[in-house]
Amino acid sequence: MSLPGLPQPFLAKVDCGTCRACCQGTMVIMVEGDDTTLDWVPADPTDPNLVGQMALNHLPNGDCVYLGPDGCTIHGRHPAICRTFYCAGFVRMLDSKRFEHVGPKINNAVTRAGRRRLAGKRP
C-alpha cells in the first residue's frame, strides 16, 4: 500500500506485541480506499491543514473507539494509516527534521515506543 507523501522506509510492517500507543491519542486521517462505514468524524477544525478531512473517532480518554482489551477490534478493515504505520520509521523521520510539522499529532508514547524499537528493545 502506498500513501501519498510518505517515504517508503516509513511504510513498513511491525510486530506491535502488546504496545497500543498509536491507538491512544493519535489522529488517524481517512485516505482514499479506507472503509467509509467506520466511525469517522471531522478532523481538527483548528488546523488549516486538516479542513475537510475526516479522522477516526476517539473516546473521551483519547483511545480509538475501536481499541479493545486485546487490541484493534476492526483488524483487517482498519484504516490504511493504521496498517502501514511504523513507529520506529516515524521517529526516524521526526529526528531527521523533515516532518516536524506532524509531531504534535502524535503522542509522546508513540515516539517513546518508536525509539525503543530503533534501539532494539520491545515496549
Side-chain angles (χ1 to χ4, degrees):
M1 164 141 322
S2 177
L3 296 177
L6 296 180
Q8 281 307 102
F10 186 73
L11 302 176
K13 299 267 182 191
V14 64
D15 176 18
C16 300
T18 60
C19 183
R20 305 289 182 257
C22 65
C23 304
Q24 301 167 313
T26 303
M27 187 180 304
V28 174
I29 301 294
M30 181 195 294
V31 297
E32 186 176 337
D34 279 342
D35 185 340
T36 58
T37 65
L38 297 178
D39 189 0
W40 298 102
V41 296
D44 183 354
T46 64
D47 186 335
N49 295 316
L50 297 175
V51 172
Q53 297 288 324
M54 299 298 283
L56 267 188
N57 201 359
H58 282 78
L59 300 173
N61 70 356
D63 288 358
C64 173
V65 294
Y66 297 109
L67 179 59
D70 297 319
C72 182
T73 61
I74 57 167
H75 192 75
R77 63 184 190 110
H78 51 304
I81 290 176
C82 298
R83 288 192 306 270
T84 59
F85 185 75
Y86 176 47
C87 59
F90 176 78
V91 168
R92 266 192 222 110
M93 288 192 327
L94 281 183
D95 290 347
S96 74
K97 308 289 186 211
R98 291 177 23 211
F99 289 86
E100 286 179 323
H101 62 284
V102 296
K105 301 290 181 224
I106 303 290
N107 67 35
N108 288 333
V110 173
T111 56
R112 284 193 303 273
R115 285 192 172 90
R116 283 193 298 269
R117 282 195 173 86
L118 280 174
K121 301 173 188 168
R122 295 293 299 163

Short mmCIF file of all heavy atoms in Angstrom, two decimals, residues 14-24 63 67-72 87 109-110 113 116-117 121-123:
data_model
loop_
_atom_site.label_atom_id
_atom_site.label_comp_id
_atom_site.label_asym_id
_atom_site.label_seq_id
_atom_site.Cartn_x
_atom_site.Cartn_y
_atom_site.Cartn_z
N VAL A 14 5.29 -3.83 11.40
CA VAL A 14 5.99 -4.02 12.66
C VAL A 14 5.11 -4.90 13.55
O VAL A 14 3.88 -4.80 13.52
CB VAL A 14 6.30 -2.68 13.35
CG1 VAL A 14 5.04 -1.94 13.73
CG2 VAL A 14 7.19 -2.87 14.56
N ASP A 15 5.74 -5.79 14.29
CA ASP A 15 5.01 -6.60 15.26
C ASP A 15 4.85 -5.75 16.51
O ASP A 15 5.80 -5.51 17.24
CB ASP A 15 5.78 -7.88 15.57
CG ASP A 15 5.10 -8.69 16.65
OD1 ASP A 15 3.90 -8.47 16.92
OD2 ASP A 15 5.77 -9.56 17.22
N CYS A 16 3.65 -5.29 16.76
CA CYS A 16 3.40 -4.36 17.87
C CYS A 16 3.40 -5.04 19.23
O CYS A 16 3.52 -4.36 20.25
CB CYS A 16 2.06 -3.66 17.66
SG CYS A 16 2.00 -2.70 16.14
N GLY A 17 3.27 -6.35 19.24
CA GLY A 17 3.19 -7.04 20.53
C GLY A 17 2.01 -6.50 21.33
O GLY A 17 0.90 -6.42 20.83
N THR A 18 2.26 -6.07 22.55
CA THR A 18 1.18 -5.52 23.39
C THR A 18 1.14 -4.00 23.37
O THR A 18 0.32 -3.40 24.05
CB THR A 18 1.35 -5.99 24.85
OG1 THR A 18 2.61 -5.53 25.33
CG2 THR A 18 1.26 -7.50 24.96
N CYS A 19 2.00 -3.37 22.60
CA CYS A 19 2.01 -1.91 22.52
C CYS A 19 0.75 -1.41 21.82
O CYS A 19 0.37 -1.92 20.76
CB CYS A 19 3.25 -1.42 21.78
SG CYS A 19 3.38 0.38 21.73
N ARG A 20 0.10 -0.42 22.39
CA ARG A 20 -1.10 0.18 21.81
C ARG A 20 -0.97 1.70 21.76
O ARG A 20 -1.95 2.42 21.65
CB ARG A 20 -2.35 -0.18 22.63
CG ARG A 20 -2.58 -1.66 22.83
CD ARG A 20 -3.02 -2.35 21.55
NE ARG A 20 -3.27 -3.77 21.79
CZ ARG A 20 -2.43 -4.73 21.43
NH1 ARG A 20 -1.30 -4.46 20.85
NH2 ARG A 20 -2.74 -5.99 21.66
N ALA A 21 0.25 2.22 21.87
CA ALA A 21 0.47 3.66 21.97
C ALA A 21 -0.13 4.43 20.80
O ALA A 21 -0.71 5.50 20.98
CB ALA A 21 1.97 3.97 22.09
N CYS A 22 -0.04 3.88 19.59
CA CYS A 22 -0.55 4.62 18.43
C CYS A 22 -2.07 4.60 18.36
O CYS A 22 -2.66 5.33 17.56
CB CYS A 22 0.08 4.12 17.13
SG CYS A 22 -0.34 2.43 16.72
N CYS A 23 -2.73 3.81 19.20
CA CYS A 23 -4.19 3.75 19.25
C CYS A 23 -4.75 4.67 20.32
O CYS A 23 -5.95 4.70 20.55
CB CYS A 23 -4.66 2.32 19.55
SG CYS A 23 -4.05 1.09 18.40
N GLN A 24 -3.87 5.39 20.98
CA GLN A 24 -4.29 6.22 22.11
C GLN A 24 -3.83 7.65 21.89
O GLN A 24 -2.64 7.96 21.97
CB GLN A 24 -3.70 5.66 23.39
CG GLN A 24 -4.14 4.23 23.63
CD GLN A 24 -3.36 3.53 24.71
OE1 GLN A 24 -2.13 3.58 24.74
NE2 GLN A 24 -4.07 2.87 25.60
N ASP A 63 -8.51 7.17 23.61
CA ASP A 63 -8.38 5.88 22.91
C ASP A 63 -9.23 5.87 21.65
O ASP A 63 -10.32 6.43 21.61
CB ASP A 63 -8.86 4.73 23.80
CG ASP A 63 -7.92 4.42 24.94
OD1 ASP A 63 -6.87 5.07 25.06
OD2 ASP A 63 -8.26 3.52 25.75
N LEU A 67 -10.38 0.44 19.82
CA LEU A 67 -9.37 -0.22 20.64
C LEU A 67 -10.06 -1.02 21.73
O LEU A 67 -10.76 -0.47 22.58
CB LEU A 67 -8.42 0.82 21.26
CG LEU A 67 -7.33 0.25 22.18
CD1 LEU A 67 -6.44 -0.73 21.42
CD2 LEU A 67 -6.51 1.38 22.77
N GLY A 68 -9.88 -2.33 21.71
CA GLY A 68 -10.46 -3.21 22.72
C GLY A 68 -9.38 -3.69 23.67
O GLY A 68 -8.20 -3.36 23.52
N PRO A 69 -9.75 -4.50 24.64
CA PRO A 69 -8.78 -5.00 25.62
C PRO A 69 -7.64 -5.81 25.00
O PRO A 69 -6.55 -5.85 25.54
CB PRO A 69 -9.61 -5.88 26.56
CG PRO A 69 -11.02 -5.79 26.13
CD PRO A 69 -11.10 -4.98 24.88
N ASP A 70 -7.90 -6.44 23.86
CA ASP A 70 -6.87 -7.24 23.20
C ASP A 70 -6.31 -6.57 21.95
O ASP A 70 -5.67 -7.23 21.12
CB ASP A 70 -7.44 -8.62 22.84
CG ASP A 70 -7.83 -9.40 24.08
OD1 ASP A 70 -7.09 -9.35 25.08
OD2 ASP A 70 -8.90 -10.05 24.06
N GLY A 71 -6.56 -5.28 21.78
CA GLY A 71 -6.05 -4.56 20.61
C GLY A 71 -7.16 -4.09 19.71
O GLY A 71 -8.30 -3.88 20.13
N CYS A 72 -6.85 -3.98 18.43
CA CYS A 72 -7.78 -3.44 17.43
C CYS A 72 -8.95 -4.40 17.20
O CYS A 72 -8.75 -5.58 16.91
CB CYS A 72 -7.03 -3.20 16.12
SG CYS A 72 -8.07 -2.50 14.83
N CYS A 87 6.22 2.86 13.97
CA CYS A 87 6.65 3.89 14.91
C CYS A 87 8.14 4.20 14.83
O CYS A 87 8.54 5.36 14.93
CB CYS A 87 6.23 3.53 16.33
SG CYS A 87 6.90 1.97 16.92
N ALA A 109 3.89 8.79 23.81
CA ALA A 109 4.04 7.34 23.98
C ALA A 109 4.45 6.69 22.66
O ALA A 109 5.22 5.74 22.64
CB ALA A 109 2.73 6.73 24.49
N VAL A 110 3.95 7.20 21.54
CA VAL A 110 4.31 6.65 20.23
C VAL A 110 5.78 6.90 19.94
O VAL A 110 6.49 6.00 19.49
CB VAL A 110 3.41 7.23 19.12
CG1 VAL A 110 3.90 6.79 17.75
CG2 VAL A 110 1.97 6.83 19.33
N ALA A 113 7.85 4.59 22.09
CA ALA A 113 7.80 3.21 21.57
C ALA A 113 8.68 3.08 20.33
O ALA A 113 9.41 2.10 20.17
CB ALA A 113 6.37 2.81 21.25
N ARG A 116 12.32 3.00 21.32
CA ARG A 116 12.68 1.68 21.87
C ARG A 116 12.89 0.67 20.73
O ARG A 116 13.82 -0.13 20.77
CB ARG A 116 11.61 1.19 22.84
CG ARG A 116 11.66 1.85 24.19
CD ARG A 116 10.80 1.13 25.20
NE ARG A 116 9.39 1.14 24.84
CZ ARG A 116 8.50 2.08 25.20
NH1 ARG A 116 8.90 3.10 25.95
NH2 ARG A 116 7.25 2.00 24.83
N ARG A 117 12.03 0.71 19.72
CA ARG A 117 12.18 -0.22 18.61
C ARG A 117 13.47 0.07 17.84
O ARG A 117 14.14 -0.84 17.38
CB ARG A 117 10.97 -0.15 17.69
CG ARG A 117 9.79 -0.90 18.26
CD ARG A 117 8.71 -1.17 17.25
NE ARG A 117 7.70 -2.02 17.83
CZ ARG A 117 6.67 -1.59 18.54
NH1 ARG A 117 6.51 -0.31 18.75
NH2 ARG A 117 5.82 -2.43 19.05
N LYS A 121 14.72 -2.63 21.50
CA LYS A 121 14.03 -3.07 22.72
C LYS A 121 12.53 -3.15 22.44
O LYS A 121 11.98 -2.38 21.69
CB LYS A 121 14.28 -2.11 23.86
CG LYS A 121 15.75 -1.95 24.20
CD LYS A 121 15.93 -0.86 25.21
CE LYS A 121 17.40 -0.57 25.41
NZ LYS A 121 17.60 0.65 26.17
N ARG A 122 11.85 -4.07 23.09
CA ARG A 122 10.40 -4.20 22.99
C ARG A 122 9.73 -3.21 23.91
O ARG A 122 10.30 -2.85 24.94
CB ARG A 122 9.97 -5.62 23.37
CG ARG A 122 10.48 -6.68 22.44
CD ARG A 122 9.91 -6.62 21.05
NE ARG A 122 8.47 -6.80 21.10
CZ ARG A 122 7.67 -6.47 20.09
NH1 ARG A 122 8.14 -5.95 19.02
NH2 ARG A 122 6.39 -6.66 20.18
N PRO A 123 8.49 -2.79 23.60
CA PRO A 123 7.78 -1.87 24.50
C PRO A 123 7.42 -2.54 25.81
O PRO A 123 7.39 -3.73 25.93
CB PRO A 123 6.51 -1.52 23.73
CG PRO A 123 6.48 -2.35 22.51
CD PRO A 123 7.77 -3.08 22.41
#
